[in-house]
């Protein structure tokens, strides 16, 4: 029995050893496979692959945040492999990645290490990328002096760099000036940067400068221009793979639309922005987008939903350290409580903002809040606090205007006029030099006279060249002032001018055309579709009219036609052809349902001795247009 037991134990032991051996061989194989896999991963990015990755991120063919792991790997491998030049490129992009990831402490450590590298200034564009990141980092510091010093240094070095280098510097300065409320300077550097970015076909930088111009005009309360440039920014960024900046462009446009009380249109862009910010876990972006969406719920009287979103956003902004958004959300919370008639809670939220007023980055934010504080305190009969609020509001309003009105910030046309004036001053200086040279000719020897004459001739040529260039620029901006930016057809001023000129030539017909029920198109399908309908009408008109006829956008959905004909049949034939082409173009609008037919009504006034002035013809055409509408629209009334 004992022998059997021993044999059994021995057998079990052999089996155990056999199993252990098999397991050992299996794990060895797996370990070898894993080792090969790790080895393959560590060498996945060879020099060429790393270079390609860095180039694609640099030109925004790849998104920073979505490719953060790859960029981090490229940064580390290029350092391990001692690829010095390539590593500095990777390190510059890694600095931008840290900024976008909101890892500011790590960014400061990173910048401190690499800006000491003696080889860095030899790679000019890479060095400038580091300085751009440094300026953005310093702008967040409570002490403004270091950021101001670096910004001044970059300003002074601007002319020493190539076009691409200038774009980087102007991008950094646009960020800094926006952050410090220097909106005049923001506009100047953004306009200069935009011109260079357009020449270089740099879509990402175009988007950046468009957005800065849009933001500046928004702060200046020029909403039409702000929307125009914000849309330009969106269009430019959508040509890149830069998801974060595209999302920021969406937010900027959505926020402007929200401010002009177009919450439905705003929500389209804000939802797009929120989607990316959540995907990339961008805390700062989330706070901005969620605040705007909470504001929409508030405007639409969805107070319970707005209250929930706002409370969430206060905590989110507090944890992310986004003070502006934390305070803005507290202000919105107070507004919601006021609507719910919870004045004590509103007062508590208002007081919390007041205690943290210095955390607001802009004087205008403080002024707007103090205006609301005054209203609330008056309602609660806290008279002293109310008047204290209104006194401080006046102080911060004054500071805001001092910051934003350095030399009467105007529209883009004025910016171009400033450039023209500078060229005129240069021309006068040249002319003065010529006069001085000619005055000295009598006292100089013959050879000096000839030299002076030669110099004078060169200066005259230069002056003529400047004058010619100035004339061309003036003509260019003159044409812009007569053109409707949306449809690229003459605007009201342009068509009125053309009509006056045509009337002087002899008999003619003035027609006013109005798109029927156009407001319904905007209400049902959105203003973007409405814009496409207006563009389609302009295209149809250009295709229909011969060179003898003129048309232009008279205002909104109204158009003015100056026709070189007084024959009723010919006039009706023109508008019949126009209606056919207009329908064809509208059918190509993707978001316009195929069964939607857009028509127009026409009032056409034919000139005669009793109707010989443009003003009389237009008034009569307007009456005929009214008659066409009264008769059921979609028709032409000629008289």
């Amino acid at each position: 029995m004992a022998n059997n037991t021993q044999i059994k134990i021995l057998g079990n032991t052999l089996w155990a050893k056999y199993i252990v051996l098999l397991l050992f061989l299996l794990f060895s194989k797996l370990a070898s496979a894993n080792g090969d896999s790790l080895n393959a991963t560590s060498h996945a990015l060879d020099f060429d692959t790393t270079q390609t990755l860095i180039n694609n991120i640099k030109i925004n063919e790849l998104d920073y945040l979505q490719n953060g792991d790859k960029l981090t790997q490229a940064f580390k491998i290029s350092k391990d492999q001692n690829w010095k030049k390539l590593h500095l490129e990777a390190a510059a992009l890694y600095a931008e990645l840290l900024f976008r990831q909101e890892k500011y402490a790590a960014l400061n450590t990173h910048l401190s290490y690499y800006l000491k590298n003696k080889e860095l200034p030899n790679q000019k564009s890479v060095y400038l990328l580091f300085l751009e990141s440094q300026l953005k980092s310093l702008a967040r510091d409570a002490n403004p002096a270091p950021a101001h010093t670096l910004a001044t240094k970059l300003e002074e070095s601007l002319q020493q760099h190539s076009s691409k280098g200038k774009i980087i510097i102007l991008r950094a300065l646009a960020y800094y000036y926006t952050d410090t409320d220097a909106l005049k300077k923001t506009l100047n550097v953004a306009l200069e940067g935009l011109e260079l970015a357009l020449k270089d076909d740099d879509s990402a930088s175009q988007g950046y400068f468009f957005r800065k111009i849009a933001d500046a005009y928004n702060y200046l309360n020029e909403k039409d221009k702000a929307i125009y440039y914000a849309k330009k920014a969106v269009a430019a960024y959508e040509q890149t793979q830069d998801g974060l900046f595209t999302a920021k462009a969406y937010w900027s446009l959505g926020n402007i639309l929200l401010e002009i009380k177009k919450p439905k249109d705003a929500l389209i862009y804000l939802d797009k922005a929120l989607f990316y910010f959540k995907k990339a876990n961008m805390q700062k972006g989330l706070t901005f987008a969620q605040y705007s969406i909470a504001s929409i719920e508030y405007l639409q009287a969805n107070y319970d939903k707005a209250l929930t979103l706002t409370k969430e956003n206060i905590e989110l902004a507090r944890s992310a350290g986004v003070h502006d958004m934390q305070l803005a959300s507290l202000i919105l919370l107070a507004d919601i409580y006021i609507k719910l008639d919870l004045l004590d809670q509103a007062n508590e939220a208002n007081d919390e903002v007041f205690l943290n007023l210095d955390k607001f980055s802009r004087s205008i934010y403080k002024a707007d809040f103090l205006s609301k504080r005054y209203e609330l305190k008056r309602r609660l009969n806290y008279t002293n606090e109310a008047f204290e609020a209104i006194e401080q509001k006046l102080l911060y309003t004054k500071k805001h205007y001092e910051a934003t009105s350095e030399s009467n910030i105007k529209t883009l046309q004025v910016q171009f006029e400033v450039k023209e004036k500078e060229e005129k001053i240069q021309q006068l200086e040249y002319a003065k030099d010529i006069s001085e040279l000619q005055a000295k000719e009598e006292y100089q020897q013959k050879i000096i006279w000839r030299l002076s004459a030669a110099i004078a001739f060169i200066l005259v040529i230069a002056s003529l060249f400047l004058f010619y260039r100035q004339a061309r620029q003036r003509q260019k901006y003159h044409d812009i002032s007569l053109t409707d930016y949306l449809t690229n057809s003459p605007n009201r001023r342009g068509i009125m001018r053309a009509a006056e000129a045509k009337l002087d030539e002899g008999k003619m017909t003035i027609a006013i055309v109005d798109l029927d029920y156009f407001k319904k198109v905007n209400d049902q399908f959105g203003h973007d579709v409405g814009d496409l309908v207006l563009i389609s009408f302009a295209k149809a008109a250009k295709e229909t009219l011969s060179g003898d006829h003129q048309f232009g956008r008279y205002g909104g959905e109204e158009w003015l036609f100056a026709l070189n004909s007084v024959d009723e049949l010919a006039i009706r034939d023109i508008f019949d052809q126009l209606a056919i082409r207009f329908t064809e173009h509208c059918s190509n609008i993707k978001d316009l349902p195929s069964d939607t037919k857009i028509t127009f009504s026409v009032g056409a006034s034919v000139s005669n001795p009793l109707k010989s002035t443009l003003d009389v013809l237009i008034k009569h055409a307007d009456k005929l247009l009214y008659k066409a509408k009264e008769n059921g629209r979609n028709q032409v009334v000629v008289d």
Side-chain angles (χ1 to χ4, degrees), residues 313-366:
N313 212 50
I314 291 168
E315 295 309 314
L316 180 63
R318 184 178 284 122
S319 64
V322 188
H323 300 304
D324 278 346
M325 219 17 74
Q326 179 188 345
L327 297 178
S329 298
L330 278 166
I331 294 169
L332 179 59
L333 181 67
D335 290 341
I336 297 167
Y337 280 141
I338 290 169
K339 290 291 184 181
L340 296 172
D341 205 28
L342 300 171
L343 298 186
D344 288 339
Q345 288 93 322
N347 189 48
E348 186 179 337
N350 189 282
D351 284 344
E352 185 176 349
V353 176
F354 186 70
L355 290 172
N356 292 279
L357 196 60
D358 288 341
K359 291 184 177 179
F360 263 133
S361 63
R362 298 182 185 279
S363 299
I364 191 62
Y365 296 161
K366 297 174 185 178

Side-chain angles (χ1 to χ4, degrees), residues 118-405:
K118 292 180 180 179
E119 295 181 14
L120 183 57
N122 296 329
Q123 291 180 242
K124 288 187 178 179
S125 63
V126 175
Y127 183 44
L128 289 176
L129 288 175
F130 270 107
L131 294 180
E132 180 184 18
S133 294
Q134 187 185 30
L135 184 58
K136 290 194 288 189
S137 177
L138 290 174
R140 301 185 70 258
D141 201 318
N143 179 9
H148 177 73
T149 301
L150 179 55
T152 303
K153 175 184 172 183
L154 289 171
E155 278 181 328
E156 291 171 350
S157 70
L158 185 64
Q159 299 307 321
Q160 301 171 13
H161 295 280
S162 65
S163 176
K164 285 184 170 57
K166 287 178 181 177
I167 287 173
I168 296 170
I169 292 173
L170 292 167
R171 210 165 53 203
L173 291 174
Y175 179 93
Y176 171 70
Y177 291 141
T178 302
D179 194 67
T180 54
D181 268 348
L183 300 183
K184 170 73 174 180
K185 289 185 175 180
T186 300
L187 276 172
N188 279 334
V189 297
L191 284 164
E192 189 176 347
L194 178 59
E195 185 178 355
L196 291 170
L198 288 167
K199 287 178 181 176
D200 279 15
D201 198 24
D202 182 349
S203 296
S205 294
Q206 288 172 37
Y208 189 85
F209 292 122
F210 276 134
R211 190 165 70 86
K212 288 300 176 186
I213 295 169
D215 288 347
Y217 278 127
N218 190 35
Y219 289 130
L220 294 169
N221 209 30
E222 294 190 43
K223 301 301 182 184
D224 288 342
K225 287 196 171 190
I227 289 173
Y228 174 75
Y229 284 106
K231 285 183 176 180
K232 287 276 192 183
V234 166
Y237 272 125
E238 284 180 340
Q239 295 178 41
T240 73
Q241 297 299 318
D242 192 330
L244 175 61
F245 276 60
T246 306
K248 287 186 174 183
Y250 287 144
W251 180 83
S252 290
L253 178 54
N255 196 46
I256 299 166
L257 291 167
L258 177 58
E259 289 180 13
I260 61 170
K261 304 296 185 288
K262 290 186 177 180
K264 288 183 179 178
D265 294 338
L267 198 57
I268 294 170
Y269 295 104
L270 292 172
D271 279 338
K272 287 181 178 181
L274 189 63
F275 175 79
Y276 180 86
F277 292 141
K278 283 183 176 178
K279 183 179 176 183
N281 195 28
M282 288 293 298
Q283 298 297 303
K284 185 175 180 180
L286 272 171
T287 63
F288 277 85
Q290 192 159 286
Y291 167 78
S292 297
I293 291 171
S295 298
I296 290 174
E297 298 294 349
Y298 169 75
L299 288 173
Q300 295 178 336
N302 299 326
Y303 300 126
D304 290 339
K305 195 168 182 181
L307 189 64
T308 302
L309 282 171
T310 304
K311 285 181 176 179
E312 286 178 7
N313 212 50
I314 291 168
E315 295 309 314
L316 180 63
R318 184 178 284 122
S319 64
V322 188
H323 300 304
D324 278 346
M325 219 17 74
Q326 179 188 345
L327 297 178
S329 298
L330 278 166
I331 294 169
L332 179 59
L333 181 67
D335 290 341
I336 297 167
Y337 280 141
I338 290 169
K339 290 291 184 181
L340 296 172
D341 205 28
L342 300 171
L343 298 186
D344 288 339
Q345 288 93 322
N347 189 48
E348 186 179 337
N350 189 282
D351 284 344
E352 185 176 349
V353 176
F354 186 70
L355 290 172
N356 292 279
L357 196 60
D358 288 341
K359 291 184 177 179
F360 263 133
S361 63
R362 298 182 185 279
S363 299
I364 191 62
Y365 296 161
K366 297 174 185 178
D368 289 344
F369 161 72
L370 289 164
S371 181
K372 290 190 174 190
R373 182 173 175 82
Y374 168 76
E375 295 294 336
L376 177 60
K377 294 297 182 180
R378 287 274 292 178
R379 190 167 172 182
L380 291 167
N381 292 320
Y382 297 157
T383 308
N384 290 338
E385 292 180 59
F387 282 104
E388 182 187 359
I390 206 67
E391 284 175 0
Q392 290 193 36
K393 184 219 169 174
L394 293 172
L395 174 68
Y396 285 116
T397 301
K398 182 183 176 185
K399 283 186 177 181
H400 171 67
Y401 282 120
E402 286 173 353
T404 57
S405 302

Side-chain angles (χ1 to χ4, degrees), residues 508-514 516 558-559 561 563 566 568 571-572 575 600-608 611 615-639:
M508 62 173 295
T509 297
I510 289 291
I512 297 179
V513 179
D514 184 78
D516 297 330
E558 279 194 341
W559 305 79
F561 284 68
L563 304 176
V566 293
E568 182 175 346
I571 292 165
R572 290 186 180 278
F575 288 111
F600 56 80
S601 303
V602 183
S605 176
V606 180
S607 66
N608 59 40
K611 293 183 290 179
D615 185 53
V616 171
L617 283 167
I618 288 175
K619 286 180 179 177
H620 188 62
D622 203 41
K623 288 179 182 177
L624 297 175
L625 174 63
Y626 184 73
K627 186 176 180 181
K629 288 183 179 181
E630 277 191 325
N631 292 342
R633 291 180 168 80
N634 191 20
Q635 57 186 274
V636 180
V637 177
V638 184
D639 180 21

Side-chain angles (χ1 to χ4, degrees), residues 485-534:
Y485 77 92
L486 176 66
T487 62
N488 200 29
S489 58
N491 58 16
R492 185 188 186 102
R493 185 178 170 196
I495 187 57
M496 290 287 282
R497 220 176 245 201
E500 283 280 11
K502 192 166 283 295
L503 188 60
D504 290 341
E505 295 173 4
K507 291 183 178 180
M508 62 173 295
T509 297
I510 289 291
I512 297 179
V513 179
D514 184 78
L515 303 188
D516 297 330
Y517 303 112
F518 183 71
K519 186 177 182 302
K520 288 185 178 179
V521 175
N522 280 331
D523 292 343
Q524 289 180 12
F525 309 114
H527 288 272
D528 286 347
V529 172
D531 287 349
L532 291 174
V533 170
L534 293 171

Side-chain angles (χ1 to χ4, degrees), residues 359-498:
K359 291 184 177 179
F360 263 133
S361 63
R362 298 182 185 279
S363 299
I364 191 62
Y365 296 161
K366 297 174 185 178
D368 289 344
F369 161 72
L370 289 164
S371 181
K372 290 190 174 190
R373 182 173 175 82
Y374 168 76
E375 295 294 336
L376 177 60
K377 294 297 182 180
R378 287 274 292 178
R379 190 167 172 182
L380 291 167
N381 292 320
Y382 297 157
T383 308
N384 290 338
E385 292 180 59
F387 282 104
E388 182 187 359
I390 206 67
E391 284 175 0
Q392 290 193 36
K393 184 219 169 174
L394 293 172
L395 174 68
Y396 285 116
T397 301
K398 182 183 176 185
K399 283 186 177 181
H400 171 67
Y401 282 120
E402 286 173 353
T404 57
S405 302
E406 298 168 28
S407 57
N408 190 20
I409 300 174
K410 297 180 181 178
T411 58
L412 273 176
Q413 283 85 350
V414 173
Q415 296 295 326
F416 288 126
E417 287 172 9
V418 168
K419 290 185 179 181
E420 287 188 357
K421 287 176 183 175
E422 288 172 353
E423 290 178 358
K424 190 173 182 180
I425 289 168
Q426 289 177 356
Q427 184 182 338
L428 290 171
E429 288 175 344
Y430 279 126
K432 183 181 177 183
D433 290 341
I434 293 168
S435 299
E436 289 176 353
L437 286 170
Q438 289 173 341
K440 291 177 182 178
E441 286 175 4
E442 297 173 1
Y443 306 101
Q444 294 176 337
Q445 297 175 5
K446 189 175 181 181
I447 188 166
I448 297 175
W449 183 90
R450 289 178 179 175
L451 180 61
S452 298
I455 293 172
F457 176 75
I458 292 169
L459 290 173
V460 168
I461 294 298
S463 298
L464 289 172
F465 173 75
L466 285 173
F467 182 78
Y468 169 73
R469 183 179 168 195
Q470 183 187 39
R472 286 194 63 183
Q473 284 188 322
R474 190 181 292 111
Q475 182 60 44
K476 176 182 174 183
Y477 302 128
H478 174 74
D479 292 343
I480 289 172
S481 72
L482 299 177
T483 303
D484 176 56
Y485 77 92
L486 176 66
T487 62
N488 200 29
S489 58
N491 58 16
R492 185 188 186 102
R493 185 178 170 196
I495 187 57
M496 290 287 282
R497 220 176 245 201

